[in-house]
Amino acid sequence: MSRRLDGRTALVTGATSNIGRAVATAFAAEGAHVVVTGRDAGRGEEVVARIRAAGGRGDFVAARLDGSLRASRDLAAEADRVLGGRVDILVNNAGIFPGWTTADTDEATFDEVYAVNVKAPYFLTAAIAPAMAGRGGGAIINLGSWVARLGIPVGTLYSSTKGAMETLTRAWAAEFGPAGVRVNAISPGVIYAPEPGQTGTHPAEVMMRGTPAGGTGTPDAVAHAAVYLASDEAAFVHGTVIDVDGGRVGVAVIAA
């Protein structure tokens, strides 16, 4: 049976844990050669070992995407080298979430969050997308968030960065789409896996009350959407944001 990403190469940022790890693992299972990247080499090698144990192809490239042009260009160049001269799929997943309320956010935190969450993927895309366009095709998947479109009283800084990424998705689709590069985004809802032995109700679970799903999602749910957007099945999908959020943004369930 043909796998959906056979013969393709992929770079997944922030791939050493949670959503990024699930996306990298799913891509490899579908036949892609995946570069797993992140700051923690130990966790990165664990992901690569998992990919290889399942018969897939994966390599770890350490990267500290601090928002600098150099860091993004260096990662793009190393991924290109490891993957044999091309990156077919780019997933801009890496991000940080410090800073809860507006008044509690200092300038250094503001600059750091925008550097990691917006500047880094911006310059990484700038380093990779033109080569995709030159080859006549490729896929870029950005990670947004449900809090970019449904206001909540915490995480204001983070939500604004995810709003920026969703806007860039549409702008990049217009810029690179005519050359065959599909740019789309996924907006995850509350993704949370309870720790073994955990008791009580976690705040993440409370956030999903009143939704059709009625509970939190898993990283695999996001990975399934990423595989679709990276594959030929999504050949006619450009500049869209797929909500993988259990209905959190668009639907309200009124309990009897």
Side-chain angles (χ1 to χ4, degrees), residues 27-99:
F27 278 7
E30 291 289 345
H33 181 185
V34 182
V35 161
V36 173
T37 188
R39 301 183 181 190
D40 190 314
R43 292 196 304 183
E45 293 296 349
E46 287 177 5
V47 178
V48 169
R50 180 184 305 183
I51 287 172
R52 292 176 178 174
R57 297 182 68 196
D59 291 280
F60 175 70
V61 172
R64 181 174 291 272
L65 293 174
D66 57 7
S68 67
L69 176 63
R70 179 174 179 175
S72 290
R73 283 182 173 175
D74 285 351
L75 174 58
E78 183 62 10
D80 190 74
R81 184 192 69 79
V82 171
L83 294 172
R86 74 181 199 277
V87 177
D88 298 321
I89 305 161
L90 168 63
V91 180
N92 287 312
N93 168 72
I96 55 175
F97 193 141

Side-chain angles (χ1 to χ4, degrees), residues 77 83 86 115 126 162 165 177 190:
L83 294 172
R86 74 181 199 277
K162 290 305 179 180
M165 289 308 298
V190 181

Side-chain angles (χ1 to χ4, degrees), residues 132-133 135-139 173 175-183 235 238:
M132 288 181 175
R135 293 191 299 271
E175 183 176 358
F176 299 113
V181 181
R182 294 184 299 102
V183 186
H238 289 260

Side-chain angles (χ1 to χ4, degrees), residues 3-222:
R3 294 177 293 178
R4 286 181 281 180
L5 303 179
D6 265 340
R8 301 184 196 181
T9 63
L11 168 60
V12 183
T13 69
T16 60
S17 65
N18 204 10
I19 290 173
R21 176 174 58 201
V23 171
T25 303
F27 278 7
E30 291 289 345
H33 181 185
V34 182
V35 161
V36 173
T37 188
R39 301 183 181 190
D40 190 314
R43 292 196 304 183
E45 293 296 349
E46 287 177 5
V47 178
V48 169
R50 180 184 305 183
I51 287 172
R52 292 176 178 174
R57 297 182 68 196
D59 291 280
F60 175 70
V61 172
R64 181 174 291 272
L65 293 174
D66 57 7
S68 67
L69 176 63
R70 179 174 179 175
S72 290
R73 283 182 173 175
D74 285 351
L75 174 58
E78 183 62 10
D80 190 74
R81 184 192 69 79
V82 171
L83 294 172
R86 74 181 199 277
V87 177
D88 298 321
I89 305 161
L90 168 63
V91 180
N92 287 312
N93 168 72
I96 55 175
F97 193 141
W100 285 94
T101 66
T102 301
D104 290 335
T105 302
D106 59 29
E107 185 176 9
T109 300
F110 186 100
D111 290 345
E112 180 187 18
V113 174
Y114 262 83
V116 175
N117 292 10
V118 181
K119 283 183 67 179
Y122 187 95
F123 288 127
L124 187 58
T125 299
I128 290 175
M132 288 181 175
R135 293 191 299 271
I140 298 172
I141 303 168
N142 299 319
L143 268 291
S145 173
W146 67 284
V147 296
R149 279 169 291 132
L150 182 65
I152 60 174
V154 293
T156 53
L157 179 59
Y158 175 82
S159 66
S160 70
T161 67
K162 290 305 179 180
M165 289 308 298
E166 293 190 9
T167 297
L168 284 170
T169 296
R170 292 181 285 272
W172 284 335
E175 183 176 358
F176 299 113
V181 181
R182 294 184 299 102
V183 186
N184 294 287
I186 300 170
S187 176
V190 181
I191 305 298
Y192 169 73
E195 296 293 332
Q198 176 184 314
T199 60
T201 302
H202 192 275
E205 297 170 287
V206 175
M207 290 182 184
M208 289 302 291
R209 289 177 180 170
T211 66
T216 59
T218 67
D220 285 342
V222 181

